[in-house]
Amino acid sequence: MSLLSYVTTGISSFVVVTLSLFTLGQKVPRAAFVARCLASYGSLLFCAIYGVIASIILRLVGYGRVSQWATARSFKWIMRLTTGVHFDIVEGKEHLSTRPAVFIGNHQSELDVLMLGAIFPPYCSVTAKKSLRHVPFLGWFMSLSRTVFIDRANRETAVKAFDSAADEMRNHRQSVFIFPEGTRSYSDKPELLPFKKGAFHLAVKAGVPIVPVVSENYSHVLSPRYWRFNAGSIQVKGTIFPSSSHVERNY
């Protein structure tokens, strides 16, 4: 059997299993949870593969800095189709076109990747932990699309990464999105973990505004603790700090 046949068979089996679990989920809620998890990771893998191809093509034609925006938009629509989950911007949409800026958001779960699909502006890059660079397809896409990789175990290299990102922001007006909590909270309440300083260091260094993007607590849609993963809408609001001087005074 050829490699293409193996891949086709694997994809077909994955789709059949996922659809079967969705059907079973009408009577067994935990089956629906597993089905949507599989659909989410399948969608992420598909969009990562698309992102690798899109990043290469966009680089060749001189638009490599919009690779993450293009891939995020594809994930937004595919996830809506496969899981029924979507993020809606209900306030502050005009602030999302600020360029360059440091965008920050609360980090509740893996589903926040879909939030990026809804709000991500062109000419923006995400930050991510260094270990993701080695994940097949997703890491390749992130490397090709100028992700700012952070080594959390080494403060010196982390600062250098932010300094390099600040140069990119000044020279090419590229924005950066950061989850300042540094990890997912999985909270069932509207609360935040303590913030890391990297986002604020970057805003001061680059001399750009900070644009906070806040998602409502969405434990009614996703709560791994209770095996809950439902279709539904999640509200997002954006605002803006007028300049990096505001940040510097409070940094």
Side-chain angles (χ1 to χ4, degrees):
M1 186 180 289
S2 67
L3 177 60
L4 180 59
S5 297
Y6 277 117
V7 172
T8 303
T9 301
I11 292 173
S12 299
S13 300
F14 179 86
V15 171
V16 170
V17 169
T18 303
L19 291 176
S20 299
L21 285 168
F22 268 118
T23 302
L24 181 61
Q26 296 176 10
K27 295 182 178 180
V28 184
R30 288 194 174 189
F33 173 85
V34 175
R36 281 199 168 81
C37 287
L38 289 175
S40 298
Y41 285 115
S43 300
L44 182 61
L45 176 60
F46 177 85
C47 291
I49 295 171
Y50 161 75
V52 170
I53 298 170
S55 296
I56 293 172
I57 294 174
L58 288 168
R59 276 197 169 199
L60 290 174
V61 298
Y63 288 94
R65 289 183 173 83
V66 300
S67 299
Q68 294 198 4
W69 168 80
T71 305
R73 282 297 184 269
S74 73
F75 189 61
K76 167 188 173 181
W77 293 111
I78 288 174
M79 277 285 285
R80 188 164 188 163
L81 176 66
T82 58
T83 68
V85 179
H86 55 97
F87 284 77
D88 292 326
I89 305 168
V90 297
E91 185 179 311
K93 187 175 182 178
E94 68 277 10
H95 300 312
L96 301 180
S97 60
T98 306
R99 178 186 174 203
V102 173
F103 293 88
I104 61 173
N106 54 322
H107 201 7
Q108 298 182 57
S109 75
E110 291 85 351
L111 198 57
D112 290 332
V113 178
L114 178 56
M115 184 273 290
L116 296 181
I119 67 94
F120 216 65
Y123 300 99
C124 187
S125 301
V126 296
T127 61
K129 56 184 180 182
K130 187 179 179 180
S131 59
L132 286 178
R133 187 196 296 268
H134 306 295
V135 176
F137 299 112
L138 178 62
W140 304 342
F141 155 64
M142 296 177 84
S143 296
L144 286 167
S145 59
R146 294 184 170 87
T147 295
V148 181
F149 288 105
I150 306 298
D151 184 355
R152 296 175 179 172
N154 190 320
R155 185 179 184 281
E156 184 178 349
T157 58
V159 169
K160 286 182 179 178
F162 280 125
D163 288 347
S164 177
D167 290 338
E168 181 81 3
M169 298 177 80
R170 287 192 294 264
N171 296 331
H172 300 284
R173 301 184 63 219
Q174 187 82 354
S175 297
V176 173
F177 190 102
I178 300 175
F179 291 111
E181 292 166 278
T183 189
R184 297 170 291 274
S185 65
Y186 294 112
S187 177
D188 293 322
K189 304 175 186 177
E191 59 187 13
L192 294 169
L193 298 175
F195 280 10
K196 311 291 185 184
K197 293 184 178 180
F200 309 100
H201 168 84
L202 180 57
V204 171
K205 186 80 175 179
V208 300
I210 286 180
V211 179
V213 180
V214 182
S215 301
E216 68 170 319
N217 182 271
Y218 54 70
S219 57
H220 62 289
V221 171
L222 175 63
S223 178
R225 183 181 306 167
Y226 297 107
W227 290 71
R228 181 189 304 132
F229 197 168
N230 302 318
S233 173
I234 300 167
Q235 294 187 347
V236 183
K237 295 183 179 181
T239 185
I240 191 169
F241 293 158
S243 70
S244 60
S245 61
H246 176 89
V247 179
E248 194 164 10
R249 287 195 301 269
N250 295 278
Y251 180 53

